[in-house]
Amino acid sequence: MTELPTNSGQTDTVLDAIAARRAERRNFLRYAGGAAASAGGLALLAACGNDGDNPTPTPSPTASATPIAADADILNFALNLEYLEAQFYCWAAFGTALPAGLTTGVGTVGTVTGGAAVPFADPIVAQYAREIALDEVQHVTFLKATLGGSAVAMPAINIAGDATGAFTAAARAAGVVGASGVFNPYADDVSFLLGAYLFEDVGVSAYKGASPLIGNKTFIEAAAGILATESYHAGLIRSVLYRKGIDAASIFTNARLISDARDSLDGTSDIDQGIGDATTANIVPTDTNGLAYSRSSGQVLNIVYLNKAAVASGGFFPSGINGNIRTSAASG
């Protein structure tokens, strides 16, 4: 098993955990299933460009696939969202920030307000949190490598779990807590899951909305890969919340309230859904064709800025995001 980082304050252990997990996955392919693994697994290892003893990351797009300006704007928009998710999950799972070396880029590097390790009671939720955290760090790494010198720096981010935090502002607006209540996503397992739920569905709809706007096929495939990963994350978070909701009906209520709050911010259309109730699960939010919903960049910013007006900052990004796409839609 990977020796996962603890609340030691050494952010490079997050990257160490990524390398260890990559090695574990390749070693699993090498040894699992005996002859079958020899025939199929080693071929897959070869395709990754390494035999598993000294693993290297999957290559990013080559210089010949450098994104055009419009594509770079879209990928930088996505990078801002990945900074937010990576910081939240790194703090929740490991009690540490995203490594500082991954936050630099074009523009001023912002600071992160808040963040804490979750005292997980359920070891399964803790393992899920760690895996998602490492995925989000890898998304940041991949997007920065893809964008090269045009990658934007991490903006200022508010993930505090106190009365001044964006999570509390969102929870108050949704009715999850009262007007003077505090929502701390680091307090316990369910609070963490609800905090993650706030982000994950938005990420899926953001990537789906952006994918047809990308011109370079290489980057369409890259965005599709991240979209698929975010969809796995969202489905996992919704599934665990649903299971826990069977024993605590307030979870169904709070998920619905968060869903309704997102809908109230991104316009008049009803494109958000809760996780269901004790008799009917709704793990995958889709339209009548079974398709996931899309959001425009402006609608996504409505939610993360916690404002249905056309603004350039607020909520989880108190100074706005970096890059050329930075204003929310007029969705009031």
Side-chain angles (χ1 to χ4, degrees):
M1 294 292 293
T2 305
E3 184 177 349
L4 293 164
T6 59
N7 188 7
S8 64
Q10 300 297 316
T11 58
D12 58 348
T13 57
V14 176
L15 297 180
D16 292 340
I18 290 174
R21 186 177 63 157
R22 187 182 300 122
E24 283 182 354
R25 286 176 170 174
R26 287 191 166 97
N27 285 335
F28 173 79
L29 289 173
R30 163 175 275 185
Y31 296 116
S38 297
L42 291 181
L44 193 57
L45 288 173
C48 293
N50 196 272
D51 66 0
D53 294 329
N54 295 292
T56 56
T58 301
S60 19
T62 63
S64 63
T66 300
I68 60 176
D71 288 353
D73 287 343
I74 294 170
L75 295 181
N76 268 318
F77 175 75
L79 178 57
N80 281 277
L81 300 179
E82 296 294 347
Y83 281 135
L84 173 61
E85 289 190 314
Q87 292 288 11
F88 169 64
Y89 283 114
C90 278
W91 273 109
F94 300 130
T96 190
L98 181 69
L102 291 179
T103 64
T104 58
V106 177
T108 303
V109 178
T111 58
V112 178
T113 302
V118 177
F120 291 108
D122 186 337
I124 295 176
V125 176
Q127 291 288 358
Y128 290 160
R130 291 166 185 150
E131 180 173 3
I132 294 175
L134 297 179
D135 285 342
E136 301 300 352
V137 174
Q138 288 177 306
H139 288 170
V140 170
T141 304
F142 174 75
L143 287 172
K144 288 176 71 67
T146 300
L147 287 159
S150 64
V152 297
M154 183 196 75
I157 289 174
N158 183 323
I159 50 171
D162 58 19
T164 66
F167 280 108
T168 290
R172 288 176 180 175
V176 173
V177 299
S180 60
V182 172
F183 179 76
N184 179 8
Y186 313 104
D188 51 54
D189 297 47
V190 172
S191 296
F192 161 76
L193 290 166
L194 288 172
Y197 171 73
L198 176 62
F199 288 148
E200 288 298 341
D201 285 352
V202 178
V204 172
S205 60
Y207 275 103
K208 183 171 181 291
S211 58
L213 305 178
I214 300 174
N216 186 301
K217 290 184 179 180
T218 300
F219 300 108
I220 292 175
E221 182 180 8
I226 299 179
L227 168 60
T229 302
E230 297 293 351
S231 297
Y232 279 121
H233 294 170
L236 177 63
I237 295 299
R238 294 174 72 95
S239 296
V240 179
L241 278 171
Y242 187 84
R243 176 61 190 89
K244 291 184 178 296
I246 296 297
D247 299 321
S250 62
I251 293 175
F252 295 132
T253 300
N254 287 332
R256 177 182 55 78
L257 290 171
I258 292 171
S259 173
D260 289 346
R262 290 189 301 225
D263 250 341
S264 72
L265 290 169
D266 66 5
T268 57
S269 59
D270 185 4
I271 62 171
D272 215 305
Q273 299 167 14
I275 59 174
D277 55 33
T279 60
T280 305
N282 188 45
I283 303 305
V284 184
T286 64
D287 63 14
T288 55
N289 295 313
L291 303 178
Y293 291 99
S294 299
R295 283 188 173 94
S296 68
S297 59
Q299 289 176 308
V300 171
L301 290 177
N302 285 139
I303 296 172
V304 296
Y305 287 167
L306 302 179
N307 196 322
K308 60 185 178 181
V311 297
S313 63
F316 294 96
F317 294 103
S319 299
I321 65 173
N322 287 325
N324 293 324
I325 303 174
R326 54 181 291 115
T327 304
S328 59
S331 298

